[in-house]
Amino acid sequence: MRFGKTLKQSMYEPWRDKYIEYDKLKSLLREDRPDDDEPWTEEDEVRFCDEIFNVQLEKVAQFQEEKMQELRQRVDAAFDKLRDLPPADSENKDKPTDEALAQRLKELEAELDAITNEVKELRKYSNLNYTGFLKIVKKHDRKRGDRYKIRPIMQVSLSKRPFNSEQGYTPLLNKLSLLYFAIRQHLEENGSVEPYHLDPISQPETHNGEKYTAYKFWVHPDNLLEVKTYILRRLPALVYSHQSSKEWDGDEDPTITSLYFDNANFQLYYQKVEREAEASSLRLRWYGQLSQNPEIVFEQKIIHDNGTSEERKFPIKEKYIKPFLDGEYKMEKSIQKMERQGQSTADVEEFRSTAEAIQDYIRSNKLEPVVRANYVRTAFQNPGDDRIRLSIDTDIAFIREDTLDRDRPCRDPNNWHRTDIDDSNMTYPFKNINQSEVSLFPYAVLEIKLKEDQNRKRPVWVTDLMASHLVHPCPRFSKFMQGVASLFEDYVNRLPFWLPDLDTDIRKDPQVAFEEEEVKRAHRAQNEQVVGSFLGTKLGNSFKPSRSSPVAKSYLAERVAAESSGAKAQTPASGATDRTPTAVTPAGELNESSSSQQQDGGQQQGGRSEYGTMTLSSVFPGFSLSKYSKAMRLKRAQGEGGRRGSVTLPPGVEEPTEWLKNSGPLQIEPKVWLANERTFLKWQHICVLLGGLAISLYTAAGRGTVAEWIAVGFIIIAAFAGGWGYFLLHSRRKMIIERSGKDFDNFFGPLVISVALMVALILNFSFAYRDFLARAQARAAVEALFIQSSNASASHIDLR
């Protein structure tokens, strides 16, 4: 199906005029005139580029941003409604009845359903427009790209406007997930729901009946060695057994080949891209070269509606694959072998049902191999302990394996795989085949699988690795989807959300990555605290950012701003006087003891900072736990006398006469003294320069001239510069000795020098200009007098 038709059928009706005008852009390319012989001019190129970049792209990006901001506000409003509801353990008299509370929660759930539906539509909107922009520039470069190639420019523009990126939706989806969890925890009859997964980039999986949480990341080649060594210090590399590869010697990491199936309409691909319920992927996988007779496994991975995944697999011999695909063989010999070996009836029946289900799935959907993924895998795991499993896939290559073009098929239609690759034992980077049929993935893929265990916390080193600058999160990354999107772009009308990230540099500055992760964790912790307070339980782990965290910096900035603004402390509400804060995290969260929560009914009223976190200043604007604020409050209390009362010290405690930081021997680094002296020498340098200039002007000028007065002005400025430098030298030396906390900056001197020089120059210009005008007038008068005298002499001669 052509993309224009797909776009019209997939449009969300209320937003119809906000989509890319694909037909208009095709008309500008003259796609509607196949017999057009008119040359493509510079004006045509400018008209097309202006329309696609300045009109269409800006329209789509602006609407997406406005809609995303509107959804954020609606989710924040829903969070505020949840915050206003009384907690589970509240004893407030105004607490609504169970029926009223349930009704309010159902109304809130209906509102969340509406928001979730709009989020889904916005995702489809972003994906459709992103695909449309790439499709139309590809048409341009193919038809009008003799002189201009605009696809690279479009990719850069799309990367600057990441409206098709999953990262923008992650915080919003995390909040929605928290709200749903809180509501359903109350509304479910049995009082319990599925455990809430705190990490929005995770994906639940099931392997052999065990539940895991999977995380996927990209690793840049520059960071690959550091990531491997970081993991090796915690987990040993896993050596594959000979059962996976019969001739595998364990000296190097194995090469894995995955052969993915789909039909001519790419049905399985679209199901995964659109995240449909029960979306499935099917592949054949083996280790090493096919000529080494490895064990080949049929694997089907199914994504269920609740987000969990399930795998079905069974081994199959190479000679039986083609008959199995054609429906002529139903794994009878393997079943008979299992029965002869005395395996249980349940295992045999499970094998039979799995093989029949996969075969029926292949036949009913007309599936055949379409793309091959070849990669080298390095696995890490403690022997006998599968609670933490890590794998790194490198040298990833995607190869076409389809027969879509019947005239020039990539694979022999009578065979199930490409013999030109497997018979010659071809390896990465596959240079001996048509390079248009190969796509090399630029990054390595790191996958972390953690077994779900409520009684065991995630290791700190795993959390640090996931939050580091060494990895780039890419949730739900699929080799199958990446291979199809990169090799069959002309055949599909939907592209994965992670494609824009391939056009950007995923490497990050370590400090920037750390600060971004701290802010995300602070937001998540604040949201979990609200939900946990509503449920009357502790949700998630406590968040304690480090001192260098930007969240901690923002917290200190809020405290200083609150103190400097002179905000008066508000009178605590009734029932809130007994609150005993036990800890204030730099994220600005208010953590209270359980007894205090029971006394005040668990009600935590207060505003939020610009980061969305609750702060003590929002509850008590004049309250702070910093040493500076305590000292200022003590000073104000002492100064206000009768109004605030004097401070009574305990027996045996004397009022300190100096700050603790000022006690002890004075230890100043030499560079501090040298810096002060260097500033003094700079001022003296200015004094000497201006003084020399003033003396030169004064000597060269005559008595009473303009230059003499200007020289006097420069002498005054030079004297001020010398005096100011001497004053700064001694004043800053005194501040250093006294260990003063005041700022060393002083703008008065430079400002005076600058203004004085500017005034002197303006006066010099005005005086010189006035002198120039006077000389010009005198010259004009002399010339007029000369002309008059010449005319008089000429008339006298004529009379004679």
Side-chain angles (χ1 to χ4, degrees), residues 282 298 300 312-316 324-325 327 329-332 334-335 339 347-365 367:
L282 184 67
F298 245 123
Q300 182 184 17
R312 300 173 181 172
K313 58 183 178 179
F314 66 92
I316 185 173
F324 181 83
L325 297 177
Y329 176 68
K330 298 184 179 298
M331 305 301 296
E332 298 91 347
S334 298
I335 295 174
E339 293 174 346
D347 293 340
V348 174
E349 188 60 32
E350 182 181 359
F351 181 89
R352 186 199 308 272
S353 61
T354 301
E356 290 179 354
I358 292 178
Q359 189 175 49
D360 292 341
Y361 188 76
I362 294 173
R363 302 296 296 169
S364 61
N365 293 282
L367 303 180

Side-chain angles (χ1 to χ4, degrees), residues 574-595:
S574 177
T577 55
D578 294 334
R579 294 186 181 183
T580 57
T582 58
V584 180
T585 68
E589 301 169 7
L590 180 62
N591 296 334
E592 302 176 355
S593 64
S594 58
S595 60

Side-chain angles (χ1 to χ4, degrees), residues 177-197 454 535 539:
S177 178
L178 266 171
L179 286 168
Y180 273 120
F181 175 78
I183 293 173
R184 290 170 181 170
Q185 188 77 17
H186 261 271
L187 296 180
E188 287 290 333
E189 294 181 359
N190 55 8
S192 63
V193 294
E194 288 294 324
Y196 168 70
H197 294 276
Q454 301 295 331
L535 297 177
L539 186 64

Side-chain angles (χ1 to χ4, degrees), residues 356-492:
E356 290 179 354
I358 292 178
Q359 189 175 49
D360 292 341
Y361 188 76
I362 294 173
R363 302 296 296 169
S364 61
N365 293 282
K366 299 180 181 180
L367 303 180
E368 61 180 14
V370 293
V371 65
R372 172 189 300 226
N374 186 273
Y375 49 95
V376 177
R377 169 160 294 183
T378 305
F380 305 89
Q381 179 183 329
N382 281 323
D385 186 0
D386 59 351
R387 291 177 297 182
I388 303 176
R389 300 163 58 185
L390 284 82
S391 65
I392 299 179
D393 297 336
T394 56
D395 295 344
I396 304 175
F398 302 103
I399 306 171
R400 289 186 61 165
E401 199 95 9
D402 62 285
T403 58
L404 297 177
D405 188 353
R406 297 299 178 182
D407 297 330
R408 300 180 59 184
C410 299
R411 166 182 52 84
D412 183 3
N414 297 321
N415 208 332
W416 63 273
H417 66 105
R418 291 186 61 159
T419 56
D420 57 337
I421 296 177
D422 295 323
D423 292 349
S424 61
N425 293 334
M426 197 180 302
T427 58
Y428 185 90
F430 302 94
K431 293 184 178 180
N432 296 333
I433 61 176
N434 190 345
Q435 290 303 294
S436 63
E437 301 173 357
V438 182
S439 175
L440 304 181
F441 193 69
Y443 306 124
V445 176
L446 168 66
E447 183 175 15
I448 301 176
K449 291 184 179 180
L450 304 175
K451 181 180 289 187
E452 294 184 359
D453 188 353
Q454 301 295 331
N455 300 323
R456 188 173 183 269
K457 294 182 179 180
R458 179 193 304 168
V460 177
W461 68 269
V462 175
T463 303
D464 293 341
L465 176 62
M466 294 167 56
S468 70
H469 69 285
L470 302 174
V471 297
H472 177 78
C474 190
R476 298 181 178 86
F477 175 77
S478 168
K479 296 184 180 69
F480 168 53
M481 294 169 59
Q482 175 61 33
V484 172
S486 59
L487 295 172
F488 299 91
E489 187 176 345
D490 293 337
Y491 293 86
V492 296

Side-chain angles (χ1 to χ4, degrees), residues 175-323:
K175 271 193 172 184
L176 286 172
S177 178
L178 266 171
L179 286 168
Y180 273 120
F181 175 78
I183 293 173
R184 290 170 181 170
Q185 188 77 17
H186 261 271
L187 296 180
E188 287 290 333
E189 294 181 359
N190 55 8
S192 63
V193 294
E194 288 294 324
Y196 168 70
H197 294 276
L198 301 179
D199 299 287
I201 62 173
S202 65
Q203 181 177 356
E205 293 185 359
T206 302
H207 301 281
N208 299 325
E210 298 285 348
K211 292 185 178 181
Y212 290 85
T213 303
Y215 306 84
K216 292 185 179 181
F217 303 87
W218 291 349
V219 182
H220 194 277
D222 294 350
N223 299 328
L224 183 58
L225 181 60
E226 187 173 355
V227 171
K228 284 187 175 182
T229 54
Y230 179 88
I231 299 173
L232 280 171
R233 288 196 292 267
R234 281 86 180 176
L235 289 178
L238 183 65
V239 178
Y240 287 83
S241 65
H242 294 272
Q243 296 177 355
S244 299
S245 178
K246 294 182 179 179
E247 297 182 6
W248 173 246
D249 56 6
D251 292 337
E252 58 184 16
D253 296 325
T255 300
I256 302 178
T257 301
S258 294
L259 198 62
Y260 292 98
F261 288 71
D262 211 334
N263 52 32
N265 298 324
F266 291 95
Q267 177 183 348
L268 303 188
Y269 170 80
Y270 281 120
Q271 289 178 355
K272 291 184 70 68
V273 170
E274 298 175 5
R275 299 183 184 177
E276 296 182 2
E278 304 303 318
S280 178
S281 62
L282 184 67
R283 68 181 177 182
L284 283 168
R285 187 171 72 161
W286 65 88
Y287 290 79
Q289 297 294 337
L290 197 59
S291 60
Q292 299 173 349
N293 297 323
E295 182 183 59
I296 304 176
V297 180
F298 245 123
E299 296 181 347
Q300 182 184 17
K301 188 174 183 180
I302 304 174
I303 306 296
H304 296 296
D305 192 20
N306 59 0
T308 61
S309 64
E310 178 186 358
E311 280 190 354
R312 300 173 181 172
K313 58 183 178 179
F314 66 92
I316 185 173
K317 292 184 177 181
E318 179 183 353
K319 61 182 179 180
Y320 296 135
I321 294 179
K322 181 61 176 174

